[in-house]
Amino acid sequence: MCTPRARLNLVRREPDNIVLSDTTVAVYLSARNVGDCAWPEDVRVAFVSGVQMGAPNAIPVQSLAAGESTQVILPLRAPSSAGVYTSTWEVRHSAGSVAGTAIGVMVEVSDAPTSTPTPTPRVQPTSTPAPT
């Protein structure tokens, strides 16, 4: 009997550091079919728990043959208050959860912009030759 199974891995998050409130955060996940048969057509990466951060409830994923993988982008928006937030996602299909573990995505929000050093202009004295 065919049992769909999945593995989600965090590839990267942009921006990948502390973000300001209401900042758009793109989370890139790799979804891999680690089962022994193709996924059905209705597979999606679905929000499970934590803070949804403005993302849709689910993002459709193409049907994958055993061993294949694809990239999924979660469009998150940082909450308006400073803190550390986790959003948990897993691969599902209409008949229930696909076997595999959920993945938590963490976003740290700051209410103050991080300071960027401003270069200080320097004046270099130069000598001007005296007219002859």
Side-chain angles (χ1 to χ4, degrees):
M1 178 174 175
C2 173
T3 304
R5 294 185 345 172
R7 178 178 302 133
L8 284 176
N9 290 311
L10 178 64
V11 175
R12 71 180 188 278
R13 195 187 78 195
E14 293 177 1
D16 65 351
N17 51 5
I18 299 170
V19 298
L20 294 175
S21 61
D22 298 315
T23 298
T24 298
V25 179
V27 176
Y28 296 82
L29 301 177
S30 170
R32 182 170 184 80
N33 180 345
V34 293
D36 55 6
C37 58
W39 285 353
E41 294 296 322
D42 59 351
V43 171
R44 61 200 182 281
V45 173
F47 174 73
V48 177
S49 65
V51 182
Q52 199 164 348
M53 294 187 248
N57 291 330
I59 297 171
V61 178
Q62 67 194 47
S63 179
L64 298 174
E68 287 185 330
S69 62
T70 190
Q71 180 174 277
V72 177
I73 302 172
L74 301 177
L76 306 180
R77 180 161 287 290
S80 58
S81 299
V84 177
Y85 300 88
T86 301
S87 186
T88 304
W89 298 79
E90 71 180 0
V91 176
R92 293 186 177 177
H93 60 86
S94 63
S97 289
V98 172
T101 57
I103 187 167
V105 176
M106 200 166 57
V107 174
E108 186 172 352
V109 179
S110 172
D111 55 3
T114 56
S115 63
T116 304
T118 305
T120 305
R122 289 183 160 194
V123 177
Q124 273 305 62
T126 58
S127 61
T128 305
T132 56

